[in-house]
Amino acid sequence: MSYVIVPTTAENIVTAAEAVNLFKNGCTNQELADFLDIPLASISNSLEMSVQLGLLKMNSGDNKYYCDSMLTKHLATNDEKLKSSVIRILLEEFEPFKFFTMRLEVTGFVHIAAEQVKAFYSLATHRDEVRDTLTSLGTYARILVSEGAGLYKVNSSNEQHIPLLVVGESVLSRTEAEVEIRNRLGDRVCNSVSNTDVIEPLITSYLKIVTISNDPRGAILHAGNAFESFLNKFGDDNSVNMSGANGINAKIDRLSSSNKILHKHKFMSKYLGHIRNACNHGPDSDIGQAWSITSDTSVEYFFVVLSCIRDILNASWNIYTI
């Protein structure tokens, strides 16, 4: 995929994307500029970055912009923490920003990281504009912290909120949850798994994470069940006898010994097996009691399940992701 980064700010991106949500039949950049009383060039850049991040889509047939994510509606609030969480979720999937933070941690300087992003992704935008846009997005999402004198670092503070838990306070619909899951997995993956045995328990898991009365243990058990069902079907589809392989770890071992999954995907999946066992098997012999399951772990577990399903299927199609 080719990427574009243009000069704008996180605040302008949020303003533009939220306003597009008001136009049920879409709007042109000129219509939005008139509505917000913002110069056309500025609004055009904000819309372009909204498209890049996945908040909006642009229809070349009518030159109009439309919402492209259920997250966009969560920008219609005066809750800055909620809006920053939406941007954070999107940035965690935006490859140039992920590369930017990785290089910032290595080099220590945003201008060097931006220069490397520009080169790595063959961007036409000037290095300083890449730096300013990504830095604005990162600080807005509380991923980056200013240290003064133009220096920034990646935020590792425990005070960082969990985006899903914040955004999820208003995500109550199974339909909305399904849209988010299908967007993350992609059409090809979703068409290759069982809706009843995989998608539906993933939806239940998601809702147990993101509702106010979140249930970390239940979220992990439902996501784990979805993953085990996926492994069963994947084994059947690849002529691997899964009978007698009880649990995620046993099924992963069976698939691995049949050379149907890659070594790294095996050990990614083993994490899922061991965490689910900690949730499901009562007192652990190592500690003499049951494990306490944190909300952090349930969020991480859910996303690793999505990654493992996607990555294992991708590898079967000779697309190597991790």
Side-chain angles (χ1 to χ4, degrees):
M1 175 179 177
S2 61
Y3 294 96
V4 174
I5 296 176
V6 293
T8 187
T9 65
E11 290 80 4
N12 286 348
I13 292 168
V14 168
T15 298
E18 186 276 326
V20 170
N21 195 48
L22 301 173
F23 293 81
K24 302 308 178 185
N25 296 317
C27 65
T28 65
N29 54 0
Q30 185 63 65
E31 288 171 334
L32 196 64
D34 293 341
F35 175 74
L36 294 173
D37 193 23
I38 294 175
L40 182 60
S42 177
I43 205 67
S44 295
N45 282 353
S46 301
L47 289 168
E48 178 63 34
M49 284 308 301
S50 294
V51 170
Q52 288 289 307
L53 292 175
L55 281 168
L56 304 177
K57 61 182 176 182
M58 197 275 187
N59 185 341
S60 58
D62 57 12
N63 291 319
K64 287 186 176 183
Y65 291 85
Y66 299 84
C67 290
D68 197 33
S69 171
M70 294 299 295
L71 290 172
T72 309
K73 75 173 189 178
H74 297 302
L75 298 176
T77 177
N78 61 4
D79 185 341
E80 293 301 324
K81 189 176 182 182
L82 177 55
K83 289 191 285 191
S84 75
S85 294
V86 169
I87 298 302
R88 178 177 177 140
I89 290 172
L90 296 167
L91 288 178
E92 288 175 347
E93 298 297 318
F94 187 51
E95 293 299 330
F97 184 81
K98 290 161 63 176
F99 187 83
F100 177 69
T101 55
M102 178 184 72
R103 298 311 300 162
L104 174 59
E105 290 190 296
V106 172
T107 68
F109 296 98
V110 288
H111 70 277
I112 297 176
E115 186 173 281
Q116 293 178 354
V117 169
K118 173 180 169 62
F120 192 80
Y121 291 98
S122 302
L123 302 176
T125 313
H126 190 274
R127 175 197 69 189
D128 291 347
E129 293 174 330
V130 173
R131 177 200 63 201
D132 292 347
T133 296
L134 294 182
T135 300
S136 175
L137 285 164
T139 52
Y140 186 88
R142 307 183 191 185
I143 297 173
L144 301 183
V145 178
S146 173
E147 296 186 297
L151 298 177
Y152 293 82
K153 68 176 182 179
V154 177
N155 187 6
S156 59
S157 168
N158 290 330
E159 294 179 1
Q160 258 187 42
H161 54 267
I162 302 170
L164 267 180
L165 296 181
V166 179
V167 174
E169 293 177 3
S170 54
V171 179
L172 302 176
S173 160
R174 288 188 70 86
T175 300
E176 291 176 311
E178 181 174 358
V179 168
E180 289 303 315
I181 289 166
R182 288 183 177 276
N183 282 344
R184 288 180 178 275
L185 289 176
D187 290 341
R188 187 176 184 185
V189 170
C190 289
N191 291 336
S192 301
V193 300
S194 166
N195 187 71
T196 301
D197 297 332
V198 177
I199 301 297
E200 286 296 324
L202 284 176
I203 294 171
T204 301
S205 173
Y206 183 96
L207 292 174
K208 286 182 176 294
I209 292 169
V210 303
T211 52
I212 283 287
S213 55
N214 69 320
D215 175 9
R217 190 179 298 273
I220 288 174
L221 294 179
H222 281 279
N225 289 344
F227 187 59
E228 186 170 2
S229 295
F230 160 73
L231 294 176
N232 264 332
K233 183 176 185 298
F234 185 78
D236 291 342
D237 290 346
N238 287 274
S239 302
V240 176
N241 181 5
M242 302 297 281
S243 62
N246 299 317
I248 290 174
N249 290 333
K251 287 178 170 60
I252 286 294
D253 287 337
R254 185 72 58 83
L255 290 167
S256 178
S257 64
S258 302
N259 296 317
K260 298 302 181 182
I261 62 171
L262 299 174
H263 194 66
K264 287 183 172 55
H265 292 158
K266 171 184 175 180
F267 286 99
M268 285 173 63
S269 302
K270 284 283 188 173
Y271 162 82
L272 299 175
H274 288 296
I275 295 297
R276 190 177 72 162
N277 288 345
C279 286
N280 203 27
H281 288 177
D284 188 298
S285 59
D286 287 341
I287 59 175
Q289 63 186 56
W291 288 95
S292 177
I293 308 302
T294 66
S295 295
D296 294 34
T297 297
S298 68
V299 173
E300 292 154 5
Y301 191 93
F302 175 81
F303 281 118
V304 174
V305 167
L306 296 187
S307 294
C308 284
I309 291 173
R310 183 185 61 235
D311 295 344
I312 289 171
L313 280 174
N314 276 345
S316 73
W317 302 322
N318 297 318
I319 303 168
Y320 301 107
T321 58
I322 201 166

